[in-house]
């Protein structure tokens, strides 16, 4: 008895998270082997998708990334961690994900952008540490121009600032980003608050954080989620939530699960912020809110 196709695709996607190259191809091949042999329908769609993924992975493997510092997007959104050297960016990245990265009590421990996935309420968000941006980045100093390019692709920026240091250091970094014409949703992480009092900022939301304090890390994760601007829709029959850019309708969610479901969907029952009462029956055009749970109804 095969798994329901929706579950199967979800399981495969979960196994693929964070994989690349030979490892990714191995996971994709194994998934192909497990797939029931139908020539049409949703399983055939999954097979087509897997084969396309194998091709795309091969192409990526052939391109040498040695001279570029491009960061491949993964997860529902990409958030850049930017700040002066030694601000605690790598430590934050490490505390929020499973990557091992060098942290150090000296400037420029990190010399290339480092991506890591963090899970926020069941959704993966990619955090990318941008090595200490310094004054003059726009003139290409310290490879700054290429780093600003990485920043340009991000969905949002977390400015990391060591709470024990003068705020002018952060403002120098912000000035550099502004001079490059980069405008993104942003917040400030007031790092190392176990060592100093948190501060306020005239324009930006400040989230105090210490890698020694799990509660502060949770609050930081929640703030990062808000920064993505996405909504998370949970499915009543379990599995990971779907992350979508608002406005997100019932039909959008059905489509995100599977395009066939998108076509068959007749509405949903909704629990949560957008529902007037638990289990409210709504149509396909109903707009959902972050944290809603839905049961998709189909023909
Ligand atoms: N007390 C305390 N120390 C921290 C915290 N986060 C980072 N540090 C320390 O701050 C120093 C710098 O941390 P990193 O994470 O390497 O900083 P970074 O911003 O990645 O630095 P570069 O990559 O060199 O630009 C290290 O000695 C860390 O141990 C924190 O929350 N509390
Ligand atoms: Mg670092």
């Amino acid at each position: 008895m095969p798994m329901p196709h929706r579950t199967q695709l979800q399981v495969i996607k979960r196994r693929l998270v964070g994989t690349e190259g030979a490892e990714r191809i191995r996971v994709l091949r194994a998934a192909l082997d497990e797939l029931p042999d139908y020539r049409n329908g949703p399983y055939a769609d999954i097979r087509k998708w897997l084969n396309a993924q194998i091709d795309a992975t091969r192409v990526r493997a052939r391109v040498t990334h040695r001279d570029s510092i491009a960061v491949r997007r993964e997860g529902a959104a990409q958030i850049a961690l930017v700040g002066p050297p030694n601000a605690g960016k790598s430590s934050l990245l490490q505390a929020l994900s499973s990557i091992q990265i060098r942290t150090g009590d000296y400037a420029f421990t990190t010399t290339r952008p480092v991506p890591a996935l963090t899970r926020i309420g069941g959704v993966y968000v990619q955090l990318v540490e941008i090595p200490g941006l310094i004054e003059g980045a726009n003139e290409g100093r310290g490879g700054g121009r290429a780093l600003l390019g990485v920043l340009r692709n991000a969905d949002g920026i977390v400015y990391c600032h060591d709470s024990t240091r003068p705020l002018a250091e952060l403002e120098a970094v912000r000035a550099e980003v502004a001079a490059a014409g980069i405008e993104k949703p942003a917040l400030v992480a007031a790092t190392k608050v176990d060592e100093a009092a948190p501060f306020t900022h005239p324009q930006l939301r400040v989230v105090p954080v210490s890698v020694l304090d799990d509660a502060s890390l949770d609050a930081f994760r929640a703030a990062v989620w808000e920064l993505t601007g996405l909504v998370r829709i949970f499915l009543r029959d379990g599995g990971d939530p779907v992350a979508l850019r608002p406005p997100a309708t019932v039909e959008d969610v059905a489509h995100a699960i599977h395009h066939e479901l998108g076509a068959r969907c007749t509405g949903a029952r909704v629990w949560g912020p957008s529902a007037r009462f638990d289990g409210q029956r709504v149509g396909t055009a109903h707009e959902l809110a972050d944290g809603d749970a839905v049961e998709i109804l189909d023909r």
Side-chain angles (χ1 to χ4, degrees):
M1 183 57 195
M3 253 189 260
H5 59 88
R6 268 180 243 160
T7 316
Q8 185 137 14
L9 188 58
Q10 259 191 5
V11 169
I12 295 169
K13 284 187 177 168
R14 205 169 306 157
R15 283 187 202 146
L16 284 172
V17 168
T19 64
E20 196 43 273
E23 160 76 11
R24 189 175 178 88
I25 289 178
R26 193 187 57 72
V27 174
L28 289 162
R29 287 238 174 83
L32 271 177
D33 286 344
E34 283 173 22
L35 220 55
D37 225 16
Y38 305 124
R39 247 181 285 157
N40 295 303
Y43 288 106
D45 288 347
I46 295 180
R47 189 171 323 113
K48 224 194 295 174
W49 183 84
L50 286 169
N51 280 316
Q53 285 288 319
I54 289 177
D55 289 345
T57 306
R58 285 212 184 99
V59 170
R60 276 198 302 272
R62 270 199 299 272
V63 180
T64 42
H65 282 292
R66 238 166 307 162
D67 294 318
S68 102
I69 55 168
V71 178
R72 194 165 76 85
R73 288 181 77 99
E74 270 193 279
Q78 188 184 61
I79 302 292
L81 301 184
V82 183
N86 219 32
K89 304 176 293 293
S90 296
S91 303
L92 206 46
L93 204 66
Q94 180 146 308
L96 293 171
S97 73
S98 53
I99 69 154
Q100 293 299 316
I101 179 172
R102 273 177 70 174
T103 60
D105 191 13
Y106 43 86
F108 303 109
T109 314
T110 310
T111 53
R112 299 170 66 82
V114 180
L117 284 170
T118 189
R119 213 172 136 93
I120 310 180
V123 177
Y124 283 100
V125 172
Q126 186 181 44
L127 302 175
V128 184
E129 174 181 357
I130 310 291
L133 265 179
I134 44 161
E135 284 174 79
N138 277 298
E139 287 85 62
R141 211 167 118 194
R145 208 195 308 255
L147 297 177
L148 287 168
V150 178
L151 209 54
R152 223 178 281 285
N153 281 324
D155 299 308
I157 299 177
V158 170
Y159 289 103
C160 298
H161 180 70
D162 182 339
S163 306
T164 65
R165 306 283 307 172
L167 202 55
E169 292 181 1
L170 175 66
E171 294 311 291
V173 171
R174 287 186 65 231
E176 215 49 66
V177 174
I182 299 171
E183 276 184 52
K184 306 270 171 178
L187 63 80
V188 176
T191 59
K192 314 187 195 180
V193 281
D194 52 284
E195 285 188 345
F199 53 88
T200 57
H201 190 278
Q203 282 110 37
L204 295 172
R205 173 178 177 191
V206 178
V207 182
V209 66
S210 161
V211 296
L212 306 175
D213 174 10
D214 284 341
S216 80
L217 292 171
D218 288 343
F220 177 71
R221 270 200 186 86
V224 167
W225 179 256
E226 283 169 33
L227 199 58
T228 68
L230 299 173
V231 294
R232 242 170 336 201
I233 309 299
F234 294 84
L235 309 173
R236 291 278 290 183
D237 58 6
D240 288 337
V242 177
L244 293 170
R245 176 111 1 238
T249 63
V250 166
E251 189 179 354
D252 294 334
V253 171
H255 200 89
I257 297 169
H258 194 279
H259 59 87
E260 268 185 27
L261 187 63
R264 283 203 319 269
C265 171
T266 57
R269 299 204 326 127
V270 185
W271 290 255
S274 87
R276 264 183 288 128
F277 51 87
D278 278 355
Q280 185 192 353
R281 170 78 168 85
V282 298
T284 53
H286 174 83
E287 192 181 324
L288 295 161
D290 189 36
D292 276 346
V294 299
E295 183 186 315
I296 301 288
L297 305 170
D298 61 350
R299 282 189 271 278

